[in-house]
Amino acid sequence: MAITAASTPALALLGASDRPMPVHSIYASGVNLRCGDYLIHASTEPHGGVCSLGVSARDVELLCREPAWQWTAEGLVGLDGRRVIRLDDALQQYPTSPPPSPALSAATPGRLERARTRTGQHSWFDSGPGRGVGLPRLRKAICALVERPPDGLSHLVGIIGLGTGLTPSADDALVGALCLISAAGALPGEPVEDLRGWLGAEGVASTTDVSLSYLRLALEGEFSAPINRAVACLSDSSSQAELEESVRGLGAVGATSGMDTALGIQITCELLSLPTNHPDLQ
């Protein structure tokens, strides 16, 4: 019984935690532990999650038996003191910071659009409501991150929680946008700080707990391995085959979450590739 893999944010949150962490939610392959404003996902299939621990199926069963867990120097300990999930000696730690800035060109958005199309998978934004209501609002929200207009926060908060799924579609798309913007070194200070403050106050009830955790991590520059891989492959040094493989891997996340995220990256890529005097950026 041991933790075999862990993301750097998960280890940082665990190390800073001095209170019991209740079990927030239980799934077939793992559980979420509540750690302050964040959720740590302990699963048999971490897949490079942004705030995840890799554990065995037996460990998942143990986690489900206790209402809360404490982090100590040896690992996770049940409140009864008898159940322990230790750190493995061969623990694999993986980073979650965005890749170095990809070299975008005028051809990059087209390459990404082809990669998304060839997956054969769909985003919620491909549905009728998604196209008619969601997509225009999503474009305005992502443009607010890139252009930073005075009313940018209103566009951002207006999109949070829109869509379907455990992590609503618009939230997933914003996480993708934030990854590319962070990688490009263009993460805006004021809109991000305002959004972080809103998510910690009146915005708490705007979306799911799982999505809130991902959004908060994204605003701190932390992203899952599939998202980082797709953004890294936008560089002109990556082949079209490599880009398509990374988008297929991202698309395998959730029912539509991966493709929603890919769309957010796509829109951001289009905006970052436009000349600064383009009307879409005014």
Side-chain angles (χ1 to χ4, degrees), residues 13-254:
L13 288 169
L14 288 169
S17 176
D18 58 358
R19 289 181 289 181
M21 293 173 287
V23 173
H24 174 275
S25 42
I26 299 174
Y27 306 95
S29 63
V31 305
N32 281 328
L33 299 175
R34 164 68 73 183
C35 188
D37 290 336
Y38 303 88
L39 297 180
I40 297 175
H41 188 57
S43 170
T44 59
E45 303 173 357
H47 296 309
V50 64
C51 196
S52 297
L53 303 175
V55 296
S56 69
R58 173 62 175 156
D59 293 330
V60 172
E61 292 180 9
L62 288 177
L63 288 165
C64 294
R65 292 179 191 173
E66 286 287 325
W69 292 76
Q70 187 81 40
W71 179 256
T72 70
E74 59 181 325
L76 288 167
V77 180
L79 294 187
D80 63 1
R82 292 185 290 110
R83 296 187 174 95
V84 181
I85 303 175
R86 293 180 171 83
L87 289 170
D88 192 278
D89 291 338
L91 174 72
Q92 296 181 352
Q93 298 185 41
Y94 58 91
T96 57
S97 54
S101 180
L104 303 180
S105 69
T108 308
R111 292 180 60 221
L112 179 53
E113 186 172 10
R114 288 195 298 275
R116 288 179 49 242
T117 300
R118 287 174 182 173
T119 65
Q121 297 170 288
H122 300 284
S123 162
W124 174 76
F125 292 96
D126 295 316
S127 69
R131 284 195 304 271
V133 178
L135 192 55
R137 292 169 64 182
L138 177 63
R139 287 188 178 279
K140 287 182 179 180
I142 294 178
C143 194
L145 287 173
V146 175
E147 180 65 7
R148 314 177 197 184
D151 60 346
L153 181 62
S154 65
H155 293 302
L156 290 167
V157 302
I159 200 77
I160 300 295
L162 183 65
T164 61
L166 182 62
T167 53
S169 307
D171 300 6
D172 290 325
L174 280 183
V175 168
L178 286 165
C179 185
L180 178 52
I181 293 171
S182 297
L187 194 65
E190 186 172 335
V192 165
E193 289 302 321
D194 290 344
L195 181 58
R196 184 181 290 119
W198 182 81
L199 288 173
E202 61 266 37
V204 167
S206 62
T207 188
T208 66
D209 286 348
V210 175
S211 195
L212 274 174
S213 185
Y214 286 147
L215 284 167
R216 286 166 173 156
L217 287 161
L219 291 170
E220 294 170 11
E222 307 289 353
F223 306 91
S224 69
I227 300 175
N228 283 331
R229 193 176 301 119
V231 168
C233 286
L234 292 176
S235 175
D236 290 339
S237 62
S238 297
S239 68
Q240 183 65 21
E242 290 171 325
L243 176 58
E244 290 178 9
E245 182 181 2
S246 72
V247 174
R248 278 196 300 272
L250 179 56
V253 177

